[in-house]
Amino acid sequence: MTAMATTHNITDAAIASFSATPNPRLWEIMESLVRHLHGFVVDVELSQEEWATAIAYLTRVGHSCEGARQEFILLSDVLGVSMVVDAINHDAEGDTTESTVLGPFYVDNPKAAAQGADIAAGAAGTPMWIDTQVLDASGAPIAGATVDVWQCDEEGLYDVQRDLSGTEQALRARFVTDEEGRVRCWSVVPVAYQIPSDGPVGDLLAATGRHPWRPAHIHFKIVADGYASLVSHLFVSGDAYLDGDAVFGVKSSLIVDLTDHAGEQAPGGRAVSGRYKQLEYRFVLGKAA
Ligand code: BEZ
Ligand code: FE
């Protein structure tokens, strides 16, 4: 007579089936993945129907990935998984700047811009002068660092959401820090926006009574020889969603006060009629591992 399958021996058998995995890290991951997945199914007593719903859901998530639309990253983000991966891989040492999610709207090798450039390229919004400096842990400037900046427009959309080909870049650019480690440019004040919610991730948020909002922020990716690369945001203080970011990306050290200025003597030789905001921040990079 064949022995009856129990959850224990199925789990043990499934784990054992991977025991010849030559790569020890892959073996470690598969062993833990099977154990946790089986434990989850037993824990919630998943029905056949719920299992089928989950398979159909993940299939929809896969079908929703194309070009700049990466629904699997979005799913990881709203489940908090992206920020757990960030937390265990970026334990900010000392005064080094904390990291946060990359998000789905990063574009590799964005167009280069000169110091003082206006990355808004005509986009509507309150002008904002961004004045940043990249330092090492001793406070010395890091010259020649690559600083990629990207943000949404006044309607809460990224350029890649308006132009899926990614050829019409706006509110994004690549700068190189000067001898003082500085990057300065003009942009517009970012706004809180909704993550894409017209797909399966939006359906999950709706079914669970969650909102899709992220607080206003600007993204930075900083790469410098000999230093740990930094992927982070700066969040605008006072935003209503700082305590309820849909993707759990907010860290208090990344919240900045924008200062308010009148136009006449705007930095970078620009004539601004009316008021503008200023954002100042010092990024501190740790040494490469
Ligand atoms: C973003 O900030 O661009 C973003 C991050 C996670 C999910 C969606 C958008
Ligand atoms: Fe963003």
Side-chain angles (χ1 to χ4, degrees), residues 101-105 150-152 158 193 214-215 217-219 233:
V101 277
L102 177 70
F105 302 128
W150 69 106
Q151 66 166 88
C152 67
Y158 285 79
Y193 66 83
R214 295 214 66 207
H217 60 271
I218 307 184
H219 296 256
H233 310 353

Side-chain angles (χ1 to χ4, degrees), residues 91 144 191 202:
D91 190 11
V191 296

Side-chain angles (χ1 to χ4, degrees), residues 86 89-93 96-102 106 134-135 142 144-148 150 174 220-233 251 283-289:
D86 171 74
N89 285 283
H90 299 100
D91 190 11
E93 291 161 35
T96 58
T97 303
E98 292 191 285
S99 53
T100 189
V101 277
L102 177 70
Y106 178 67
V134 181
L135 306 171
I142 302 176
T146 298
V147 179
D148 293 348
W150 69 106
R174 171 166 291 175
F220 292 85
K221 179 177 177 186
I222 306 179
V223 178
D225 281 347
Y227 294 91
S229 300
L230 174 69
V231 172
S232 199
H233 310 353
K251 294 178 179 175
F283 294 100
V284 179
L285 303 191
K287 286 262 182 255

